[in-house]
Amino acid sequence: MRERIDEIDQAIIDLWQERARLSREVGRTRMASGGTRLVLSREREIVERFRSALGADGTQVALMILRAGRGPL
Ligand SMILES: C=C(O[C@@H]1C=C(C(=O)O)C=C[C@H]1O)C(=O)O
């Protein structure tokens, strides 16, 4: 079972890093065409998705995930 836990942890790390890369790329592309760096309505939807799946901890996880893609505000 511990082996599976280690696999899951690695998958979370890989997905976290892939998501941060994609998020930065989307932000850069949008800014290059004159748009904003952030889209708060989209970020609110994401926070709500995590909150409804995971409760209060989900909110914190979502905020950390979003920060990983754009750096601290
Ligand atoms: C990646 C995007 O850009 C920013 C980053 C987001 C994210 O990491 O999910 C969401 C909205 C934007 O603030 C996007 O608009 O999808």
Side-chain angles (χ1 to χ4, degrees):
M1 274 197 286
R2 280 195 174 158
E3 229 171 77
R4 182 62 191 138
I5 287 172
D6 288 345
E7 284 173 7
I8 289 170
D9 287 349
Q10 191 58 51
I12 291 170
I13 290 166
D14 292 344
L15 288 170
W16 181 287
Q17 292 175 333
E18 179 183 0
R19 190 192 191 288
R21 270 195 307 276
L22 290 169
S23 175
R24 281 194 291 270
E25 199 178 318
V26 171
R28 266 197 305 270
T29 305
R30 185 169 44 241
M31 283 200 296
S33 60
T36 56
R37 179 165 156 245
L38 304 180
V39 179
L40 295 183
S41 56
R42 166 84 175 142
E43 295 202 1
R44 265 196 299 276
E45 283 172 16
I46 291 166
V47 171
E48 177 52 23
R49 183 187 309 149
F50 276 80
R51 193 205 59 75
S52 78
L54 304 173
D57 285 350
T59 300
Q60 297 307 311
V61 169
L63 293 175
M64 286 191 289
I65 285 175
L66 290 168
R67 192 177 63 194
R70 55 149 157 77
L73 288 176

